[in-house]
């Protein structure tokens, strides 16, 4: 099904596929009633690093030495930094077309930028703006009404309380009724019946407490593997250690703790076949 296409937004010689663009709707019907935290969800680590800007300053979260070198020797420092920062080469739309359903969105306000413009960051800031990227995801979802995505907004470098409120307002305006409010982890059938396609994890407790549309952060295992066989070996080992984020003494009510329980990642920098950069086995529940 589908075919391989090349796009100008991808690295030269790299082909992306659209054959997995609707894999959720093609699942066996018996899986439609399984809560999402019992499904294996493919995702990408540092989703937006394909558009890191070599002209942008190095993140203010990095060491002062690295920031100094970036300003005084940018022609030497920035190529090295970018080599280690870029973990994705496909655009967010191409990743969704390839089957990715967990997007790792690391949000930042660049001090040198305008008051409200929010970017993404991984050592260096992206060219893409957060609002534009969320709109791009929303437009893709409208074309694929039975696909569901997990959006993890995190890091929040340089974010003030006002900027958090601005970002949450953008999220609500862009996704609207697509957002699944916080509560029991839903099934695909439940989401389809409600017209909901987005579960948004937001790693700021104050914002989560104020907005029912936001879910708490997702604890996960960090596999940090490039080769699929190494990732599988790591996951098999970690399964015997219990679910990430779960403690034996965790007696808080289910809705007050993160409902997701496991995740692992590997980079897609070198191979399009490795695009499932984060296979989130979202295993949760009490």
């Amino acid at each position: 099904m589908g075919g391989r296409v090349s796009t100008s937004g991808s690295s030269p010689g790299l082909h992306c596929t659209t054959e997995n663009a609707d894999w959720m709707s093609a699942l066996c019907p018996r899986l439609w009633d399984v809560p999402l935290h019992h499904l294996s969800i493919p995702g990408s680590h540092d989703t937006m690093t394909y558009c890191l800007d070599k002209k942008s300053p190095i993140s203010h979260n990095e060491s002062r030495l690295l920031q100094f070198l970036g300003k005084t020797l940018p022609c030497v420092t920035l190529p090295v930094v970018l080599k280690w920062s870029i973990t994705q080469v496909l655009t967010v739309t191409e990743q969704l077309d390839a089957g990715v359903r967990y997007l790792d969105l690391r949000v930042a306000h660049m001090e040198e930028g305008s008051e409200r413009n929010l970017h993404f960051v991984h050592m260096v800031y992206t060219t893409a703006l957060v609002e534009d990227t969320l709109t791009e995801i929303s437009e893709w979802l409208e074309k694929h009404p039975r696909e569901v995505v997990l959006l993890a907004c995190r890091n929040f470098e340089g974010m003030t309380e006002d900027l958090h409120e601005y970002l949450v307002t953008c999220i609500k305006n862009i996704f609207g009724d697509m957002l699944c409010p916080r509560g029991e982890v839903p099934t695909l059938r439940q989401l389809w019946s409600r017209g909901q396609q987005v579960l948004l994890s937001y790693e700021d407790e104050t914002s989560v407490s104020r907005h029912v549309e936001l879910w708490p952060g997702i604890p996960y295992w960090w596999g940090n593997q490039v080769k699929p066989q190494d990732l599988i070996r790591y996951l098999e080992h970690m399964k015997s250690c219990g679910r990430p984020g779960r403690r034996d003494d965790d007696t808080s009510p289910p809705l007050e703790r993160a409902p997701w329980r496991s995740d692992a990642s590997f980079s897609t920098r070198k191979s399009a076949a490795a695009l499932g950069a984060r296979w989130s086995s979202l295993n949760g529940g009490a």
Side-chain angles (χ1 to χ4, degrees):
M1 295 177 62
R4 297 188 179 276
V5 296
S6 61
T7 65
S8 58
S10 303
S11 294
L14 180 64
H15 296 274
C16 65
T17 177
T18 60
E19 62 188 8
N20 293 319
D22 295 286
W23 68 264
M24 284 184 160
S25 58
L27 286 174
C28 174
R30 68 185 179 86
L31 296 179
W32 297 354
D33 297 308
V34 175
L36 290 186
H37 58 263
H38 290 304
L39 298 178
S40 183
I41 307 294
S44 55
H45 170 65
D46 274 306
T47 298
M48 299 303 297
T49 52
Y50 63 86
C51 59
L52 291 177
D53 189 354
K54 63 182 178 181
K55 297 181 180 179
S56 291
I58 291 175
S59 166
H60 295 286
N61 278 2
E62 301 303 321
S63 68
R64 291 184 179 180
L65 174 60
L66 188 58
Q67 293 181 53
F68 174 77
L69 292 174
K71 292 177 180 178
T72 57
L73 295 171
C75 58
V76 176
T77 305
L78 286 176
V80 175
V81 170
L82 286 174
K83 178 180 179 181
W84 291 102
S85 300
I86 297 174
T87 63
Q88 307 299 334
V89 292
L90 300 186
T91 69
V92 67
T93 292
E94 291 170 342
Q95 291 180 41
L96 290 168
D97 281 339
V100 167
R101 295 295 178 268
Y102 176 102
L103 302 180
D104 176 11
L105 306 177
R106 306 192 180 200
V107 181
H109 179 256
M110 187 165 53
E111 289 185 7
E112 294 81 358
S114 62
E115 181 181 0
R116 287 284 177 93
N117 279 356
L118 300 179
H119 298 255
F120 301 98
V121 66
H122 187 214
M123 298 184 73
V124 181
Y125 302 99
T126 64
T127 55
L129 297 177
V130 172
E131 189 171 354
D132 293 341
T133 298
L134 296 179
T135 300
E136 183 178 350
I137 295 169
S138 173
E139 291 173 349
W140 187 91
L141 289 170
E142 289 177 355
K143 298 174 183 177
H144 303 270
R146 285 164 70 88
E147 297 303 299
V148 174
V149 296
L150 309 176
L151 305 184
C153 292
R154 50 193 307 219
N155 279 47
F156 299 125
E157 178 187 322
M159 293 283 285
T160 63
E161 184 175 333
D162 287 344
L163 284 173
H164 274 295
E165 284 301 305
Y166 168 71
L167 175 55
V168 173
T169 298
C170 288
I171 289 169
K172 291 182 179 181
N173 289 339
I174 291 170
F175 293 112
D177 293 338
M178 286 184 182
L179 289 168
C180 174
R182 184 170 66 252
E184 293 296 329
V185 181
T187 66
L188 285 174
R189 192 189 299 274
Q190 289 171 333
L191 291 170
W192 293 340
S193 68
R194 304 169 191 162
Q196 296 169 346
Q197 295 178 265
V198 179
L199 281 81
L200 201 138
S201 162
Y202 201 91
E203 293 190 10
D204 179 73
E205 293 183 1
T206 300
S207 297
V208 171
S209 68
R210 291 175 177 172
H211 303 279
V212 71
E213 295 87 355
L214 306 180
W215 292 69
I218 301 174
Y220 57 85
W221 293 322
W222 169 230
N224 196 23
Q225 303 294 332
V226 173
K227 297 180 179 180
Q229 61 269 30
D230 292 337
L231 177 63
I232 293 171
R233 188 179 303 113
Y234 170 82
L235 288 175
E236 290 297 333
H237 167 71
M238 293 305 295
K239 279 199 307 182
S240 63
C241 301
R243 296 169 177 170
R246 183 171 186 168
R247 306 192 314 269
D248 292 338
D249 61 347
D250 189 353
T251 57
S252 58
L255 300 188
E256 294 183 9
R257 60 179 187 259
W260 315 104
R261 295 302 186 212
S262 66
D263 175 281
S265 306
F266 58 97
S267 169
T268 69
R269 179 169 37 196
K270 297 181 179 179
S271 172
L275 182 62
R278 172 170 292 159
W279 288 90
S280 278
S281 265
L282 300 177
N283 297 318

